[in-house]
Amino acid sequence: MTPWFGLVVLLGTWSLGNWGAEACTCSPSHPQDAFCNSDIVIRAKVVGKKLVKDGPFGTLVYTVKQMKMYRGFSKMPHVQYIYTEASESLCGLKLEVNKYQYLLTGRVYDGKVYTGLCNFVERWDQLTLSQRKGLNYRYHLGCNCKIKSCYYLPCFVSAKNECLWTDMLSSFGHSGYQSKHYACIQQKGGYCSWYRGWAPPDKSVTNATDP
């Protein structure tokens, strides 16, 4: 059993009699959270793929040409293969070969990098400038912060290291404005706040709710 297959089993969103696409259920995640919670974050181009017989529907193995690594140097300094479930109902990821560069996030199990629909994966040319800057250095500054999701009003931060994520109120998940343009960065005194701008973060800013 591959790690992603086991994860879907634990989620309890499917049964042996129901293998529909609705079986893959993911909670929305801000790109910064996806970055901080991933073992591996890279920019890469998919140059090949093959199906191997592993699990009920098999496993897709993508061969990638790594362009840059943003996170995971100690885990695996160079990534050549990415593993995912072959079935989208088990959160398997479909990537184009020899077409696009991708931002790929994943976890390392037994020396292999696994990813899926619940990971933050995006075509590089679809990322905003703020997201690219986040990958380069801003997201690192916020890994000790907590991004608190707000699904309906009213909602508030409950600790000084929290930033209130309100994208779900207008759009679902990482496609929202805060996800595209803001990073939650730790400031003076351990406070965290949303940050967007060209200059380095203002150490005196402590407003944890302003997007």
Side-chain angles (χ1 to χ4, degrees), residues 50-129:
K50 65 178 179 179
L51 178 66
V52 298
K53 294 182 178 179
D54 183 15
F57 295 109
T59 298
L60 277 176
V61 183
Y62 290 103
T63 303
V64 300
K65 180 180 180 182
Q66 180 176 308
M67 306 296 183
K68 186 172 182 178
M69 174 167 280
Y70 302 95
R71 187 175 180 85
F73 301 97
S74 62
K75 292 271 187 179
M76 187 178 293
H78 184 78
V79 178
Q80 187 176 3
Y81 301 105
I82 298 285
Y83 295 77
T84 189
E85 292 289 343
S87 172
E88 289 182 276
S89 66
L90 298 180
C91 299
L93 189 65
K94 305 300 182 185
L95 301 174
E96 298 281 353
V97 177
N98 290 320
K99 195 169 183 180
Y100 305 111
Q101 291 185 26
Y102 291 95
L103 186 281
L104 300 168
T105 67
R107 305 302 299 269
V108 176
Y109 299 92
D110 296 329
K112 298 178 180 179
V113 179
Y114 288 85
T115 192
L117 292 174
C118 292
N119 292 88
F120 182 54
V121 175
E122 186 61 86
R123 279 173 42 184
W124 184 258
D125 61 355
Q126 299 296 316
L127 295 177
T128 65
L129 179 60

Side-chain angles (χ1 to χ4, degrees), residues 3-186:
W4 279 108
F5 182 73
L7 175 61
V8 177
V9 174
L10 291 174
L11 286 174
T13 56
W14 59 273
S15 66
L16 290 175
N18 182 13
W19 295 91
E22 69 275 12
C24 181
T25 302
C26 309
S27 297
S29 178
H30 189 281
Q32 179 176 311
D33 271 348
F35 175 92
C36 294
N37 293 326
S38 295
D39 294 329
I40 296 291
V41 181
I42 62 171
R43 176 184 178 183
K45 185 175 183 178
V46 177
V47 296
K49 71 175 180 179
K50 65 178 179 179
L51 178 66
V52 298
K53 294 182 178 179
D54 183 15
F57 295 109
T59 298
L60 277 176
V61 183
Y62 290 103
T63 303
V64 300
K65 180 180 180 182
Q66 180 176 308
M67 306 296 183
K68 186 172 182 178
M69 174 167 280
Y70 302 95
R71 187 175 180 85
F73 301 97
S74 62
K75 292 271 187 179
M76 187 178 293
H78 184 78
V79 178
Q80 187 176 3
Y81 301 105
I82 298 285
Y83 295 77
T84 189
E85 292 289 343
S87 172
E88 289 182 276
S89 66
L90 298 180
C91 299
L93 189 65
K94 305 300 182 185
L95 301 174
E96 298 281 353
V97 177
N98 290 320
K99 195 169 183 180
Y100 305 111
Q101 291 185 26
Y102 291 95
L103 186 281
L104 300 168
T105 67
R107 305 302 299 269
V108 176
Y109 299 92
D110 296 329
K112 298 178 180 179
V113 179
Y114 288 85
T115 192
L117 292 174
C118 292
N119 292 88
F120 182 54
V121 175
E122 186 61 86
R123 279 173 42 184
W124 184 258
D125 61 355
Q126 299 296 316
L127 295 177
T128 65
L129 179 60
S130 294
Q131 287 173 328
R132 296 183 189 187
K133 287 180 176 291
L135 293 166
N136 277 308
Y137 61 94
R138 289 177 183 164
Y139 292 162
H140 285 283
L141 302 176
C143 284
N144 290 326
C145 297
K146 180 180 179 182
I147 297 177
K148 184 176 181 180
S149 299
C150 175
Y151 293 96
Y152 51 87
L153 295 174
C155 46
F156 309 94
V157 295
S158 55
K160 67 180 183 179
N161 69 328
E162 293 182 347
C163 291
L164 196 61
W165 185 31
T166 59
D167 279 350
M168 281 70 65
L169 297 177
S170 56
S171 58
F172 195 74
H174 63 77
S175 60
Y177 194 79
Q178 284 175 306
S179 297
K180 289 181 178 180
H181 302 292
Y182 286 88
C184 177
I185 295 178
Q186 193 166 48

